[in-house]
Amino acid sequence: MDLAFTHVCLWTLLAFVLTWTVFYVNNRSKKVTKLADAATEERRDGGADVIIVGAGVGGSALAYALAKDGRRVHVIERDMREPVRMMGEFMQPGGRLLLSKLGLQDCLEGIDEQIATGLAVYKDGRKAVVSFPNDNDFPYEPSARTFYNGRFVQRLRQKASSLPNVRLEEGTVKSLIEEKGVIKGVTYKNSAGEETTAFAPLTVVCDGCYSNLRRSVNDNNAEVLSYQVGYVSKNCQLQDPEKLKLIMAKPSFTMLYQISSTDVRCVMEIFPGNIPSISNGEMAAFLKNTMAPQVPPEFRKIFLKGIDEGAQIKTMPTKRMEATLTEKQGVIVLGDAFNMRHPAIASGMMVVLSDILILRRLLQPLRNLSDANKISEVIKSFYIIRKPMSATANTLGNAFSQVLIASTDEAKEAMRQGCFDYLSSGGFRTSGMMALLGGMNPRPLSLIFHLCGITLSSIGQLLSPFPSPLRIWHCLRLFGLSMKMLVPHLKAEGVSQMLSPAYAAAYRKSYMAATAL
């Protein structure tokens, strides 16, 4: 009796599970079919060709570029107000060239932008003034621009939204809509608080370093390297404002630069585990007592002015994240959501603009974007072609930031001094390094040449005035440090892809052949 009852219960449970499974599968199938039908209907009604999540520098520039090629673009941005941030305030000469090739150079005008022609580097009481080279191979004015990031972003948004085939909407994207490994669109909450969907053959995730969609398509994680602390000193002007002030201080670098005709940005790097509290005044005291004495006297008052006047002090994590190719179709990730490097050389905007030029050129031959396999091939080509620029910027940014860190280790300090001496030596060494820092010569071989030059210069300094066993030992350690600084980054970026003549030629075709829109 008990055994029969048990059998009945088991068969009843099994029948229930089977019934529920069939019900779930049918409803899931109906839901997928409904989403597919909705996407098809939206396409028939003139829906978007591309959805872009995020209307920052990258998202807005991409929207404009694709719309000028005739694509219908739907941009969804979480907050349409003017951003207030202390990153993305320095556009290198190489970035300005790329901006002009996209037809967006006027977005850097009329925002009280300031001209920057080079650096003034300070170390241990010495000063070196270096400028971007007047290189005939660089087809643009060799100067950078500094500005308030929010003003620049708003100009880009206005430029993109001025095109009739760009729809710029405020909303918060909650998730990507996926069907059998293909991204079909997004689910988002609009400004009225209503949850809705949008469909397009191609979705671009470009929502910044804090992207909440990145993990849906990639498995790469960002590594926090340090923190940047910054504030603005108002109603003042630096001496020689066209030169960004780079101070090789302790524990790391301090920078001052003019971001408007009346305002100066002060920013410095500190490391995790040693961050004073802003709320209780420890940070202000640290800046006044520890950092200010290391700032050259000619602009120390400007450095202190913002602190004394109660300027808002902000912290921002500096992150590093390798670019990885997603296995999902119908989606691509761009900008800081895709790839990050240390911001010491201010190359983030330049890299994303380069990526946009490449992606736009690869998409141009496609009359429509509905073939997921063709889009996947485009994305794979994009990932490879971007390497010369992105790998150069990533490796240089991460290596340069490590050189700037102060140390009591004799070999590390020799490398730091060697970098200062190399930059200030003049001739092809200075012009070559400044061309790299300014994005005017994004060639990996040139990067490797100059980084090796800095290493040899540092070794020469260690060996002078004459070699000794201890100095030779420090030289060997220094060489090991430089290899440790360079090789892992080259390996992570892919040496064969970085140095391949075919990929370099493909990049130059995208970089130089692009014409202003």
Side-chain angles (χ1 to χ4, degrees), residues 4-19:
F5 179 75
T6 301
H7 282 171
V8 170
C9 290
L10 287 173
W11 281 107
T12 303
L13 179 61
L14 180 60
F16 172 78
V17 170
L18 288 172
T19 303

Side-chain angles (χ1 to χ4, degrees), residues 395-424:
T395 305
L396 178 60
N398 293 326
F400 191 62
S401 67
Q402 291 178 57
V403 170
L404 293 176
I405 298 172
S407 176
T408 55
D409 184 287
E410 191 168 345
K412 291 182 179 179
E413 185 56 30
M415 176 69 84
R416 197 170 186 242
Q417 184 64 48
C419 180
F420 177 86
D421 293 340
Y422 194 89
L423 262 177
S424 59

Side-chain angles (χ1 to χ4, degrees), residues 140-457:
Y140 205 69
E141 179 196 1
S143 64
R145 294 292 185 273
T146 57
F147 45 84
Y148 275 103
N149 173 268
R151 297 175 184 176
F152 178 51
V153 169
Q154 291 299 88
R155 288 294 302 274
L156 288 171
R157 289 173 178 174
Q158 292 165 10
K159 183 97 172 184
S161 61
S162 68
L163 300 178
N165 48 336
V166 173
R167 178 188 174 195
L168 186 56
E169 180 181 10
E170 185 168 275
T172 303
V173 175
K174 298 295 185 181
S175 61
L176 302 174
I177 298 171
E178 183 177 350
E179 179 188 338
K180 298 178 181 179
V182 180
I183 302 300
K184 297 292 186 179
V186 299
T187 299
Y188 68 102
K189 186 174 287 188
N190 61 24
S191 57
E194 302 166 338
E195 190 165 295
T196 184
T197 56
F199 299 93
L202 178 61
T203 299
V204 181
V205 176
C206 198
D207 53 348
C209 62
Y210 298 111
S211 173
N212 64 342
L213 299 178
R214 177 172 58 230
R215 292 179 183 175
S216 302
V217 292
N218 283 333
D219 59 358
N220 52 344
N221 294 311
E223 174 191 2
V224 175
L225 302 171
S226 61
Y227 289 84
Q228 293 209 343
V229 179
Y231 57 92
V232 174
S233 291
K234 293 186 174 291
N235 300 314
C236 52
Q237 190 173 60
L238 293 165
Q239 295 179 15
D240 192 12
E242 293 190 358
K243 294 291 189 290
L244 181 147
K245 319 302 181 190
L246 172 61
I247 306 151
M248 289 187 171
K250 298 176 182 178
S252 188
F253 66 86
T254 297
M255 287 185 185
L256 286 85
Y257 52 93
Q258 204 81 36
I259 56 171
S260 76
S261 56
T262 58
D263 298 344
V264 173
R265 167 69 71 191
C266 305
V267 63
M268 61 237 53
E269 181 177 49
I270 58 177
F271 298 98
N274 190 30
I275 304 175
S277 170
I278 294 176
S279 58
N280 64 12
E282 288 180 0
M283 180 65 78
F286 170 78
L287 296 175
K288 292 181 72 171
N289 299 328
T290 302
M291 301 309 299
Q294 300 182 68
V295 174
E298 57 262 37
F299 45 87
R300 190 176 297 161
K301 286 184 179 179
I302 293 177
F303 183 87
L304 290 168
K305 189 173 190 292
I307 304 170
D308 293 337
E309 293 179 353
Q312 184 182 12
I313 301 173
K314 295 183 178 181
T315 61
M316 181 86 176
T318 65
K319 299 181 180 182
R320 177 176 61 204
M321 186 177 70
E322 297 170 14
T324 57
L325 192 61
T326 179
E327 294 181 359
K328 299 185 187 297
Q329 294 184 316
V331 64
I332 187 168
V333 188
L334 284 182
D336 284 348
F338 176 52
N339 184 205
M340 286 182 275
R341 79 292 306 154
H342 196 287
I345 64 168
S347 60
M349 292 186 294
M350 182 171 62
V351 171
V352 75
L353 292 173
S354 171
D355 285 350
I356 289 168
L357 268 177
I358 296 166
L359 183 61
R360 169 178 171 254
R361 187 181 70 82
L362 292 173
L363 289 174
Q364 279 175 337
L366 303 182
R367 294 187 62 184
N368 66 72
L369 307 179
S370 299
D371 190 327
N373 291 324
K374 286 185 179 180
I375 293 296
S376 293
E377 291 302 315
V378 163
I379 293 172
K380 289 176 183 177
S381 298
F382 159 77
Y383 181 75
I384 293 171
I385 294 172
R386 71 185 295 270
K387 280 293 182 179
M389 163 62 89
S390 64
T392 301
N394 293 344
T395 305
L396 178 60
N398 293 326
F400 191 62
S401 67
Q402 291 178 57
V403 170
L404 293 176
I405 298 172
S407 176
T408 55
D409 184 287
E410 191 168 345
K412 291 182 179 179
E413 185 56 30
M415 176 69 84
R416 197 170 186 242
Q417 184 64 48
C419 180
F420 177 86
D421 293 340
Y422 194 89
L423 262 177
S424 59
S425 61
F428 76 93
R429 292 188 289 184
T430 297
S431 62
M433 273 302 296
M434 289 302 292
L436 281 167
L437 291 169
M440 302 164 66
N441 179 25
R443 292 184 174 90
L445 281 175
S446 181
L447 167 68
I448 293 170
F449 172 83
H450 286 288
L451 290 182
C452 289
I454 291 173
T455 301
L456 293 175
S457 174

Side-chain angles (χ1 to χ4, degrees), residues 25-89:
V25 170
N26 286 338
N27 275 275
R28 177 70 177 170
S29 177
K30 290 177 181 178
K31 185 176 181 181
V32 170
T33 303
K34 185 177 180 181
L35 288 174
D37 291 343
T40 302
E41 189 63 32
E42 187 168 331
R43 296 288 301 141
R44 287 174 183 166
D45 293 342
D49 297 302
V50 182
I51 293 171
I52 300 175
V53 182
V57 172
S60 300
L62 179 64
Y64 181 81
L66 295 181
K68 290 295 285 186
D69 285 343
R71 312 288 186 190
R72 292 164 295 183
V73 184
H74 183 185
V75 186
I76 305 172
E77 164 59 36
R78 182 181 58 84
D79 189 349
M80 292 299 296
R81 293 174 297 180
E82 182 176 308
V84 179
R85 58 194 303 246
M86 65 175 184
M87 294 293 202
E89 297 175 334

